């Protein structure tokens, strides 16, 4: 299957700082990328959908000014958590779809964010 | 997207076939059934998807009932590495701009 990478795999930061997470589709061009969040013992929740070159679409209840998404190319999307607080600590996972992946979404390995 | 119902947990002996059921009684004609699994602290892994015909790949088989209201994912020879949470998801054809709606899934535990 297609490969999606995320960087970093884990990050610890102080409250009030910003953190950027990268998501890359390594062997296909992703017309659409998705960002999910997963709290402990819960299922994945879709945060936002981004298409290359256009603004992201956020799910209800997700603050677009806090979670900045940039999808500048067909292989890269970034999620920036601005002014992070302890309640933002979570497992952030991206997925990508398009091109040779067809209608299947392929997921990255996830990024564990801990805000102190 | 239609809602799915799965048992919260299942056990299966190593080497045996694991049969994971899913109910999707409100599925629409243009919705596919997708299966993903998530091993602890990893991103979900695509397994298989289908519309109405049974499907098989190197990982699993997907059996969809004729009325499409339920399906079964079959792992033919389960190993300890198949222990994971399995998600059954229905999604409109073509995917497009739709994210996936994850339910609680089935926690499959393979016993040695």
């Amino acid at each position: 299957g297609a490969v999606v990478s995320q960087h970093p795999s884990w990050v610890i930061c102080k409250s009030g700082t910003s953190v950027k997470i990268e998501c890359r589709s390594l062997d296909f061009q992703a017309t659409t990328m998705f960002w999910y969040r997963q709290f402990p013992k819960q299922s994945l929740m879709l945060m936002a959908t981004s298409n290359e070159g256009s603004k992201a679409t956020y799910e209800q209840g997700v603050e677009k000014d806090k979670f900045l998404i940039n999808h500048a190319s067909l292989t890269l999307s970034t999620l920036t958590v601005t002014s992070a607080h302890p309640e933002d600590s979570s497992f952030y996972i991206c997925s990508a779809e398009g091109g040779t992946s067809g209608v299947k979404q392929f997921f990255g390995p996830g990024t564990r964010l801990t805000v102190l | 997207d239609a809602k799915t119902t799965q048992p919260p947990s299942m056990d299966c002996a190593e080497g045996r076939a694991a049969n994971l059921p899913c109910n999707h009684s409100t599925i629409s004609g243009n919705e596919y059934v997708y299966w993903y699994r998530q091993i602890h602290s990893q991103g979900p892994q695509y397994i298989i998807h289908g519309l109405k015909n049974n499907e098989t790949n190197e990982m699993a088989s997907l059996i969809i009932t004729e009325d499409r209201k339920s399906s079964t994912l079959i792992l033919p020879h389960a190993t300890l590495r198949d222990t994971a949470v399995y998600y059954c998801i229905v999604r409109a054809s073509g995917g497009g701009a739709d994210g996936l709606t994850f339910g609680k899934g089935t926690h499959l535990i393979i016993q040695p």
Side-chain angles (χ1 to χ4, degrees):
Chain A
V3 180
V4 176
S5 70
Q6 276 185 248
H7 178 80
S9 55
W10 60 271
V11 57
I12 301 172
C13 70
K14 293 182 179 180
S15 186
T17 61
S18 295
V19 174
K20 179 184 284 188
I21 302 170
E22 291 187 350
C23 176
R24 294 181 184 272
S25 57
L26 298 185
D27 53 1
F28 69 102
Q29 293 187 324
T31 50
T32 307
M33 286 185 166
F34 305 85
W35 287 94
Y36 297 80
R37 180 167 55 180
Q38 185 175 33
F39 292 106
K41 298 189 184 301
Q42 294 186 22
S43 193
L44 282 78
M45 293 292 294
L46 179 67
M47 298 176 65
T49 301
S50 73
N51 292 290
E52 184 262 342
S54 61
K55 290 184 178 180
T57 302
Y58 291 82
E59 295 298 301
Q60 191 172 9
V62 178
E63 301 175 56
K64 61 181 180 181
D65 294 330
K66 181 171 184 60
F67 298 99
L68 302 180
I69 292 171
N70 183 278
H71 191 167
S73 77
L74 287 173
T75 59
L76 173 64
S77 176
T78 60
L79 168 69
T80 301
V81 183
T82 63
S83 186
H85 291 284
E87 57 266 30
D88 298 322
S89 297
S90 188
F91 192 47
Y92 291 87
I93 309 168
C94 73
S95 70
E97 180 176 315
T100 54
S101 84
V103 297
K104 300 185 289 288
Q105 281 188 31
F106 290 95
F107 287 79
T111 297
R112 176 77 57 192
L113 170 64
T114 301
V115 184
L116 302 176
Chain B
D1 294 333
K3 182 179 177 180
T4 63
T5 304
Q6 298 177 252
S9 65
M10 291 181 63
D11 287 350
C12 178
E14 187 178 18
R16 306 296 291 263
N19 296 278
L20 291 88
C22 178
N23 286 321
H24 31 78
S25 58
T26 60
I27 192 169
S28 300
N30 68 341
E31 288 182 317
Y32 284 73
V33 180
Y34 286 78
W35 283 84
Y36 283 80
R37 72 181 182 184
Q38 186 178 26
I39 296 170
H40 183 62
S41 296
Q42 296 183 24
Q45 178 188 21
Y46 166 82
I47 301 173
I48 199 167
H49 77 283
L51 183 63
K52 54 183 179 180
N53 296 324
N54 297 337
E55 302 287 345
T56 296
N57 63 20
E58 65 279 5
M59 289 183 68
S61 294
L62 174 60
I63 308 298
I64 302 174
T65 58
E66 192 170 341
D67 62 7
R68 302 208 325 120
K69 292 185 177 181
S70 66
S71 60
T72 301
L73 178 74
I74 301 172
L75 306 179
H77 303 288
T79 71
L80 298 178
R81 289 179 295 179
D82 292 322
T83 292
V85 179
Y86 287 75
Y87 297 99
C88 168
I89 300 168
V90 296
R91 187 189 193 205
S93 63
D98 297 334
L100 297 176
T101 301
F102 286 82
K104 296 183 185 299
T106 295
H107 187 192
L108 175 66
I109 300 171
I110 306 301
Q111 304 281 3

